[in-house]
């Protein structure tokens, strides 16, 4: 019971929220983004994806069940993080940040809270 809780917490929450300040300078230096653009992508992920898809995830969970929605959310978080390694343009970053937060909304109602 402890291992799934740790892995969900590590991969779906800790890396994204606590890892963002670590990778912030790399976004600015290597990709040529301004600080405002990096923060904008993170904010758009919360606002555009997180807010409406939270309600949508709840409705989908009511229809098909939590297990499938949570598993797909965990997988989509991982895919978005892997694809972030190959992004080169600002719209790639904004799209993947929105995708990441949408996926986090669908894995959020997990009964294993951290």
């Amino acid at each position: 019971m402890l291992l799934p809780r740790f892995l969900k917490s590590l991969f779906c929450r800790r890396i994204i929220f606590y890892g963002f300040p670590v990778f912030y300078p790399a976004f600015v230096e290597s990709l040529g983004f301004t600080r405002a653009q990096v923060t904008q992508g993170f904010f758009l992920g919360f606002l555009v994806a997180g807010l409406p898809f939270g309600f949508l995830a709840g409705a989908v969970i009511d229809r098909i069940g939590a297990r499938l929605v949570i598993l797909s959310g965990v997988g989509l978080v991982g895919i978005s993080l892997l694809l972030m390694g190959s992004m080169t343009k600002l719209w790639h970053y904004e799209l993947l940040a929105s995708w990441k937060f949408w996926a986090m909304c669908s894995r959020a109602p997990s009964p294993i809270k951290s």
Side-chain angles (χ1 to χ4, degrees), residues 81-101:
L81 290 174
L82 288 174
L83 288 175
M84 279 190 168
S86 63
M87 65 184 175
T88 57
K89 304 210 182 307
L90 180 63
W91 70 269
H92 294 164
Y93 171 62
E94 290 176 347
L95 179 72
L96 289 171
S98 297
W99 184 6
K100 175 180 62 179
F101 284 107

Side-chain angles (χ1 to χ4, degrees), residues 19-91:
F20 182 70
V22 174
F23 297 113
Y24 190 83
F27 285 140
V28 173
E29 292 171 15
S30 66
L31 296 173
F33 299 161
T34 65
R35 292 179 175 270
Q37 289 171 329
V38 174
T39 307
Q40 172 188 342
F42 205 71
F43 174 71
L44 284 176
F46 273 117
L47 184 67
V48 173
L51 189 61
F53 285 119
F55 295 113
L56 181 65
V60 172
I61 286 173
D62 288 342
R63 295 233 182 234
I64 64 172
R67 178 174 290 161
L68 184 61
V69 175
I70 292 169
L71 287 175
S72 66
V74 170
L76 289 173
V77 167
I79 291 170
S80 69
L81 290 174
L82 288 174
L83 288 175
M84 279 190 168
S86 63
M87 65 184 175
T88 57
K89 304 210 182 307
L90 180 63
W91 70 269

